[in-house]
């Protein structure tokens, strides 16, 4: 090691000098080569430690390989010998299209780690953007395990950018800082928990951030830019260019860093639809479950022929509905059917529905059995090729007696808006839908209200500018008003509030349904017009007014009568090229981040000025919503209410594995969610949406 240290000192004395001639350059190159030679053995040892992890699937096996490889290092004297003796495991690590070449930071940057204040002063960068699936597709099978192993409390669902934040933060010296470009998921869901939340609760401080910025290149990506200090930052902080007192892991200037917690009161009341996994199960006008050759009937006609041939076939053929039908069809009508054998055995299905099994065997089985057996799900769907990839038995049981169910596009699909609609029962709901065990309009009013919409946008994952509604992060964490609990306990005032919610929600829903039929437009087009500042149709204006009434009814149910409910037109981001020269007053407003306009005329005037200067005819991404201050105030109340409810449930023993909280104080049902200066958990009844 002394020889290596001497070589390091010699090399970096040269590296820090300024090359002014070829001789200096040659000396540097030779010195770097000498340094790499002197550290070759240690680099190979480091590679073997990585190989011990990636060449095994189980932790016990990894520890065993580690001991074998380390023993080999005691029996060799050079990198060349070690490389020869353990060539096979090293090739498995480094070779192939997904091979790994480890970077051993201390060996590559010894001058950084051997100084009086070791580790880096600063990181600046643009990490690659990749979600869980993209990471798994382009990396070795054990990469997610590796991330979770080196980054404490990280989630397998986190985007790659969260791990770049964690790694950079780990390699910073105390007082060092990082500034990275990230996808806007950095402040959302598991990516936030893995990255910024962990950093902010482990001595990190966000001192500057821009939440949403349109990527200036060709890619349609919205990015966030985040700057973090390793240590307690007492200086000025700036969020979207404005001075603030603090910046949380949510990239907000209030509240804490911890995620909202799932509430036991909401458990078991929302479900994701089925994963069919095989178009061969379906009958439709655009696809087929049978062969389509010239002169043969359409798939729907094939289905009808099979039902006519044997009426038992109708018992396992169901209407199929997903996000497409909800968003695009004015009456949310299905246009596809699907074969669903439930959980029956192959033998039973062949006995009762032989014609349908012939179709599924020909159209589904080949793809199923060709899946690589890399995980339990692949093996299961290959073995049970005649069944759905994931049939939702628990959903069928929950809604068995419902006359209708409430649904929202979400789960596996991204959507422009959170749009809720009632659907007929006895259909197969795809995994692009979230289904709720409730047919009451008061739940529709609550979930369609501005409160739940902002809460869901706050907690959901995104894909570009589209949203993914997820029951676990959007619904299960949402603290419903105590008025519902009081109503179930016989409180007359609360019962009246629930009746108002029910009638308000029903009136809004029926008006919206009639409007979509009249215009022959689905939910996406309807809400495009709803949020368009240039829209002047009187019925769209009435829909906005009714939405405001519904928001007020929901706020009243919480007891939040002091919240101003006036909406306007806001931009969550604005894409203006840097080379465009704008008038000073327009540039000043954009720089200030004040992109909310109280009325449509102001919004249209602003858009008109931009279009006249830039020449762009693209519509701005307006949203008809509350001002930022109101939205953030309501979010703060909901976050506080979530924390209170969760503490109450822990105290009641409703969360297994959690320590019971200190006995709560106060009267049940009296808190309305405004964050107190010193919040304490207080008792309240649990919500039962059933």
């Amino acid at each position: 090691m002394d020889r290596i240290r001497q070589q390091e000192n010699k090399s970096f004395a040269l590296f820090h000098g300024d090359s002014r001639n070829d001789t200096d350059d040659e000396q540097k190159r030779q010195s770097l080569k000498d340094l790499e030679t002197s550290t070759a053995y240690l680099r190979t040892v480091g590679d073997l430690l990585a190989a011990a992890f990636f060449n095994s699937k189980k932790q016990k096996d990894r520890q065993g390989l580690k001991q074998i490889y380390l023993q080999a290092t005691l029996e060799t004297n050079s990198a060349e010998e070690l490389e020869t003796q353990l060539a096979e495991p090293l090739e498995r690590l480094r070779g192939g299209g997904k091979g790994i070449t480890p970077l051993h930071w201390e060996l590559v940057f010894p001058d950084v780690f051997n100084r009086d204040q070791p580790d880096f002063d600063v990181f600046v960068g643009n990490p690659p953007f990749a979600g869980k699936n993209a990471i798994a597709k382009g990396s070795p099978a054990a990469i997610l395990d590796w991330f979770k192993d080196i980054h404490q409390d990280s989630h397998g669902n986190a985007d790659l950018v969260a791990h770049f934040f964690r790694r950079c933060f780990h390699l910073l010296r105390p007082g060092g800082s990082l500034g990275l470009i990230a996808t806007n998921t950095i402040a959302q869901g598991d990516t936030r928990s893995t990255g910024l939340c962990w950093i902010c609760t482990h001595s990190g401080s966000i001192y500057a951030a821009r939440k949403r910025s349109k990527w200036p290149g060709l890619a349609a990506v919205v990015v966030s830019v985040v700057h973090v200090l390793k240590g307690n930052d007492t200086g000025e902080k700036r969020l979207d260019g404005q001075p603030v007192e603090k910046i949380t892991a949510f990239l907000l200037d209030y509240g804490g860093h911890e995620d909202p917690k799932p509430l036991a009161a909401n458990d078991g009341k929302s479900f994701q639809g089925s994963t069919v996994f095989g178009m061969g199960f379906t009958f439709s006008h655009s696809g087929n479950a049978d062969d389509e050759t010239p002169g043969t009937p359409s798939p729907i006609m094939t289905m009808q022929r099979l039902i006519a041939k044997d009426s038992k076939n109708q018992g396992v053929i169901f209407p199929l509905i997903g996000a497409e039908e909800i968003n695009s069809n004015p009456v949310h009508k299905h246009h596809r059917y699907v074969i669903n054998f439930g959980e029956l055995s192959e033998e039973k299905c062949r006995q009762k529905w032989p014609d349908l099994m012939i179709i599924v065997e020909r159209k589904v089985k080949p793809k199923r059995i060709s899946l690589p057996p890399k995980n339990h799900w692949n093996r299961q769907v290959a073995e049970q090729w005649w069944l759905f990839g994931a049939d939702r038995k628990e959903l069928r049981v929950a809604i068995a007696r419902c006359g209708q169910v409430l649904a929202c596009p979400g789960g596996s699909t991204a959507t422009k808006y959170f749009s809720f609609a009632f659907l007929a029962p006895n259909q197969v709901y795809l995994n692009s839908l979230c289904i709720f065990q409730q047919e009451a309009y008061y739940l529709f009013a609550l979930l369609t209200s501005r409160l739940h919409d902002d809460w869901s946008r706050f907690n959901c994952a995104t894909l570009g500018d589209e949203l993914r509604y997820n029951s676990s992060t959007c619904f299960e964490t949402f603290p419903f008003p105590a008025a519902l609990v009081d109503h179930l306990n016989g409180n007359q005032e609360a019962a009246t509030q629930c009746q108002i919610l029910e009638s308000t929600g029903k009136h809004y829903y029926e008006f919206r349904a009639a409007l979509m039929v009249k215009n022959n437009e689905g939910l996406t087009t309807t809400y495009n017009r709803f949020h368009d500042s240039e829209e002047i149709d009187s019925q769209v204006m009435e829909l906005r007014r009714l939405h405001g009434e519904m928001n007020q009814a929901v706020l009243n149910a919480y007891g939040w009568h002091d919240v101003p409910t006036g909406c306007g037109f806001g931009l969550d981001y604005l894409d203006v090229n840097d080379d465009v020269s704008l008038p000073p007053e327009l540039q000043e407003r954009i720089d200030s981040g004040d992109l909310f306009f109280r009325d449509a005329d102001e919004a249209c005037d602003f858009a008109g000025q931009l279009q006249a200067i830039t020449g762009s005819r693209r519509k701005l991404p307006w949203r008809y919503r509350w001002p930022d201050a109101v939205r953030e105030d309501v979010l703060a109340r909901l976050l506080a209410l979530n924390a209170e409810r969760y503490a109450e449930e822990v105290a009641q023993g409703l969360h297994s594995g959690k320590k019971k909280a200190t006995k709560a104080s106060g009267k049940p049902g009296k808190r309305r969610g405004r964050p107190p200066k010193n919040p304490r958990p207080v008792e309240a009844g649990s919500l039962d949406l059933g």
Side-chain angles (χ1 to χ4, degrees), residues 495-515:
T496 301
Q497 288 180 344
C498 285
Q499 290 172 2
I500 293 172
L501 269 181
E502 179 78 9
S503 61
T504 304
K506 185 176 182 180
H507 183 41
Y508 178 90
Y509 188 88
E510 291 177 344
F511 182 88
R512 188 187 73 178
L515 178 61

Side-chain angles (χ1 to χ4, degrees), residues 4-55:
I4 293 175
R5 296 294 185 218
Q6 292 173 5
Q7 182 59 50
E8 288 174 355
N9 293 334
K10 176 184 176 183
S11 298
F12 286 100
L14 286 171
F15 294 162
H16 293 158
D18 184 12
S19 295
R20 296 179 180 275
N21 52 58
D22 291 343
T23 301
D24 290 344
D25 179 70
E26 290 172 2
Q27 285 182 325
K28 284 188 175 184
R29 290 178 184 274
Q30 183 59 47
S31 185
L32 178 59
K33 185 177 180 180
D34 293 341
L35 179 61
E36 291 175 343
T37 300
S38 67
T39 59
Y41 185 80
L42 292 178
R43 289 203 309 276
T44 300
V45 172
D47 286 2
L48 285 169
L49 294 177
F53 189 96
F54 284 97
N55 290 351

Side-chain angles (χ1 to χ4, degrees), residues 399-664:
I399 64 175
R401 298 184 180 181
C402 292
Q404 60 183 5
V405 298
L406 190 61
C408 173
S412 67
T413 191
T415 186
K416 192 172 183 180
Y417 307 111
F418 297 130
S419 303
F420 295 83
F422 286 108
L423 301 177
N426 201 32
Q427 301 185 87
V428 170
Y429 310 102
L430 281 172
N431 62 352
S432 58
L433 295 178
C434 293
I435 308 295
F436 304 90
Q437 182 199 3
Q438 185 58 263
E439 51 186 323
Y441 286 93
Y442 73 74
L443 181 64
F444 168 79
L446 284 161
L447 298 184
T448 307
S449 71
R450 183 62 51 211
L451 292 83
H452 185 69
D453 188 84
D454 285 340
W455 177 265
S456 300
R457 288 173 179 272
F458 181 69
N459 288 295
C460 78
T462 62
L463 179 63
D465 246 7
E466 294 198 314
L467 312 163
R468 289 183 185 272
Y469 189 94
N470 185 290
S471 291
S472 62
T473 56
C474 300
F475 180 84
E476 292 179 15
T477 61
F478 186 68
F480 285 90
L484 292 183
V485 182
D486 297 340
H487 162 51
L488 294 170
N489 292 334
N491 183 295
Q492 187 57 46
E493 180 183 352
T496 301
Q497 288 180 344
C498 285
Q499 290 172 2
I500 293 172
L501 269 181
E502 179 78 9
S503 61
T504 304
K506 185 176 182 180
H507 183 41
Y508 178 90
Y509 188 88
E510 291 177 344
F511 182 88
R512 188 187 73 178
L515 178 61
M516 289 193 296
V517 171
K518 175 179 178 290
N519 295 333
N520 193 30
E521 294 173 343
L523 282 169
T524 298
T525 302
T526 299
Y527 281 110
N528 280 341
R529 298 178 65 184
F530 180 92
H531 292 286
D532 187 354
S533 63
E534 298 179 5
E535 182 62 61
I536 58 174
D537 181 82
S538 60
Q539 289 192 304
V540 176
M541 302 295 179
E542 178 64 7
L543 187 66
R544 290 176 185 165
R545 188 189 69 80
L546 292 176
H547 204 288
E549 282 188 358
M550 193 165 58
N551 291 337
Q552 187 63 65
V554 173
L555 287 167
N556 290 343
Y558 282 94
W560 297 341
H561 306 286
D562 58 326
V563 175
T565 58
C567 288
F569 295 90
L571 295 169
D572 292 325
Y573 71 89
L574 180 61
D575 179 15
V576 179
N577 291 332
D578 293 337
D579 57 354
V580 173
S581 178
L582 300 176
E585 63 277 7
L586 200 61
Q587 188 67 57
E588 184 177 344
R589 176 149 197 174
I590 293 172
D591 291 342
S592 71
D594 180 14
L595 298 175
F596 181 85
F597 301 85
R598 289 284 179 180
D599 60 56
D601 289 341
E602 289 183 358
C604 289
D605 181 60
F606 176 82
Q609 291 182 62
L610 278 181
Q611 289 175 346
I613 295 169
T614 63
S616 172
R617 307 309 299 173
R618 291 180 58 189
K619 284 185 174 292
L620 296 181
W622 295 110
R623 274 208 304 128
Y624 185 67
R625 60 171 174 79
W626 286 332
D628 292 344
V630 175
R631 178 178 58 180
E632 294 181 359
D633 174 47
V634 171
L635 280 174
R637 299 182 191 212
L638 290 171
L639 283 168
L641 191 54
N642 170 273
E644 292 173 3
R645 294 273 177 81
Y646 183 75
E648 293 160 7
E649 292 180 350
V650 170
Q652 296 164 15
L654 298 178
H655 294 273
S656 60
K658 302 287 184 181
K659 293 182 179 179
K660 287 195 174 184
T662 306
K663 184 173 176 61

Side-chain angles (χ1 to χ4, degrees), residues 344-356:
L344 296 178
S345 68
E346 180 183 356
E347 181 183 5
K348 188 76 170 178
C349 293
R350 288 192 185 278
Q351 289 174 356
K352 297 191 68 175
W353 306 285
D355 293 328
L356 297 180

Side-chain angles (χ1 to χ4, degrees), residues 206 209 211 237-240 242-257 458 628-629 631-633 635-636 639:
I206 302 173
K211 288 182 284 189
K237 300 172 182 63
R238 299 189 74 83
L239 181 61
D240 289 331
Q242 302 302 304
V244 294
E245 292 185 3
K246 68 182 295 187
I247 303 175
T248 71
F250 297 96
L251 300 187
L252 295 172
D253 60 348
Y254 62 87
H257 304 295
F458 181 69
D628 292 344
R631 178 178 58 180
E632 294 181 359
D633 174 47
L635 280 174
L639 283 168

